[in-house]
Amino acid sequence: MTAVGPFGLSVRDQALEADVQTGLAAVEAGLLDATKSDVPFITEAAQHLVRAGGKRFRPLLVMLAAQFGDPHAPGVVPSAVVVELTHLATLYHDDVMDEAEVRRGVASANQRYGNSLAVLTGDFLFARASHVLADLGPDAVRIQAEAFERLVTGQILETVGPRDGRDPVDHYLDVLAGKTGSLVAVSCRLGSLTAGAGERVVDILTQYGERLGVAFQLADDVLDIASDSHESGKTPGTDLREGIPTLPVLRLRARAAAEGRPEDAELVALLDGDLTDDARLAEVLRRLREHPALEQARRDTVRYAQEARAILAPLPDGIAKAALEELCDLVVHRAG
């Protein structure tokens, strides 16, 4: 038994493993090539996060989705490069908006180069993604444009917050469907489409990708509170400290408003205070780990992962389908 990709997927098929590993290696080369510029500084800034590594979750899904057609079709690797470039570009912009200092274990681009250059570098990556995309044809351009519109819409909705009377949890799930689910969905869609899979298969994989993308983000929300730094690779409470809304916190606030329990109100007050204080953050984490809101967020995560898995049911059984199902199981395991 061997592992495919950074998620440690267990596979028992040498052909699949070879296809995925070869594809991901080609994607790395494609990312470095796409981020080169005649201006050395632009190359340095554009490759800052490329060289920092990352899960390459979206390229992995492109490779797995391509197994339902011809995985060696010429458009598969460029599709993976496009979705990863787009993802990287959003990270440059996100870090400016969030005033982040670290990304993937290195200084964020805005910390290293300043906000203006970080934004412009993100724009450069979007431009390069479009350049690669143009060779995939008008259908691929339209698909990516629609996904990008949803991604930006999700970011805007997150920034402006829910409208009056809107359930904050429903609003948050819509935000994640746009910000995260749309690009994961398009990874599955472009991977299967460029491999020549049938329309029904492409549609199934697209729906699967959107729910899986939301499930992975929800699992991260749970991990930010429930895990220790050894398990998750990042400091617990990072999102809390930065004031980023996550599902457990939204579930807590909803319970506090609906049930009026004094201990919930006290915890909300702690959350709304200065969480740069280590002792205060530790107390918030301790209480949240014991609160039913965290378990409710876990159940939400599992539900999305199970929905993603169920969507795959009509696809023919095989090692590629099993690998996609295993990704759903990994989400459940991470959130557990």
Side-chain angles (χ1 to χ4, degrees):
M1 187 182 299
T2 53
V4 163
F7 292 91
L9 288 177
S10 300
V11 297
R12 298 173 179 83
D13 185 276
Q14 291 183 345
L16 175 64
E17 182 182 8
D19 281 347
V20 172
Q21 297 288 13
T22 300
L24 291 176
V27 170
E28 289 301 313
L31 289 171
L32 290 174
D33 185 61
T35 49
K36 287 179 182 174
S37 167
D38 292 337
V39 181
F41 174 79
I42 295 177
T43 302
E44 176 194 331
Q47 292 185 353
H48 178 63
L49 289 185
V50 174
R51 295 186 181 278
K55 298 183 183 72
R56 302 295 189 248
F57 176 46
R58 292 153 191 81
L60 173 63
L61 284 171
V62 172
M63 298 302 148
L64 291 175
Q67 295 293 319
F68 293 88
D70 175 9
H72 306 115
V76 173
V77 169
S79 294
V81 171
V82 165
V83 294
E84 189 66 9
L85 281 175
T86 303
H87 173 58
L88 288 169
T90 66
L91 297 184
Y92 280 76
H93 288 181
D94 283 352
D95 285 347
V96 171
M97 295 180 67
D98 298 337
E99 299 180 351
E101 296 182 359
V102 177
R103 170 70 71 175
R104 294 180 174 176
V106 300
S108 61
N110 49 298
Q111 183 74 10
R112 183 165 180 174
Y113 305 113
N115 285 344
S116 295
L117 287 174
V119 170
L120 291 169
T121 302
D123 293 344
F124 176 81
L125 292 177
F126 283 130
R128 286 301 176 90
S130 298
H131 183 78
V132 176
L133 187 64
D135 291 334
L136 297 177
D139 286 344
V141 171
R142 176 181 51 79
I143 289 167
Q144 176 71 359
E146 290 171 353
F148 188 50
E149 178 183 343
R150 289 192 59 212
L151 190 159
V152 173
T153 299
Q155 182 66 69
I156 292 171
L157 288 174
E158 180 181 55
T159 303
V160 301
R163 65 179 183 272
D164 289 345
R166 180 83 198 279
D167 181 353
V169 171
D170 289 342
H171 173 82
Y172 181 65
L173 293 173
D174 282 348
V175 165
L176 294 191
K179 273 190 64 177
T180 305
S182 62
L183 196 55
V184 176
V186 89
S187 301
C188 294
R189 188 172 185 183
L190 286 179
S192 53
L193 187 67
T194 55
E199 183 177 347
R200 184 164 180 264
V201 171
V202 172
D203 184 56
I204 288 170
L205 290 170
T206 302
Q207 293 180 51
Y208 160 86
E210 176 145 341
R211 283 165 180 79
L212 183 70
V214 173
F216 259 95
Q217 182 56 58
L218 293 179
D220 281 349
D221 284 2
V222 171
L223 282 171
D224 185 62
I225 293 166
S227 71
D228 59 34
S229 56
H230 176 72
E231 291 175 316
S232 65
K234 74 173 187 177
T235 303
T238 298
D239 291 339
L240 293 178
R241 177 166 271 168
E242 294 176 358
I244 298 172
T246 61
L247 189 60
V249 171
L250 292 172
R251 288 297 189 194
L252 166 67
R253 293 184 186 279
R255 281 175 172 263
E259 299 176 9
R261 296 182 359 174
E263 55 268 40
D264 289 348
E266 184 180 341
L267 180 51
V268 169
L270 282 171
L271 273 168
D272 291 338
D274 180 12
L275 293 183
T276 60
D277 180 81
D278 289 342
R280 188 185 190 107
L281 179 64
E283 177 66 9
V284 168
L285 283 171
R286 184 188 68 78
R287 292 193 183 192
L288 277 172
R289 286 167 179 167
E290 298 171 353
H291 198 280
L294 181 61
E295 182 55 36
Q296 190 174 6
R298 280 197 179 99
R299 291 197 299 270
D300 292 327
T301 306
V302 171
R303 174 170 56 86
Y304 270 89
Q306 289 175 338
E307 287 177 0
R309 201 182 208 280
I311 286 168
L312 296 172
L315 296 180
D317 291 335
I319 192 66
K321 179 180 176 180
L324 293 175
E325 290 174 335
E326 190 178 350
L327 280 174
C328 301
D329 297 338
L330 286 171
V331 170
V332 173
H333 176 72
R334 290 172 78 229

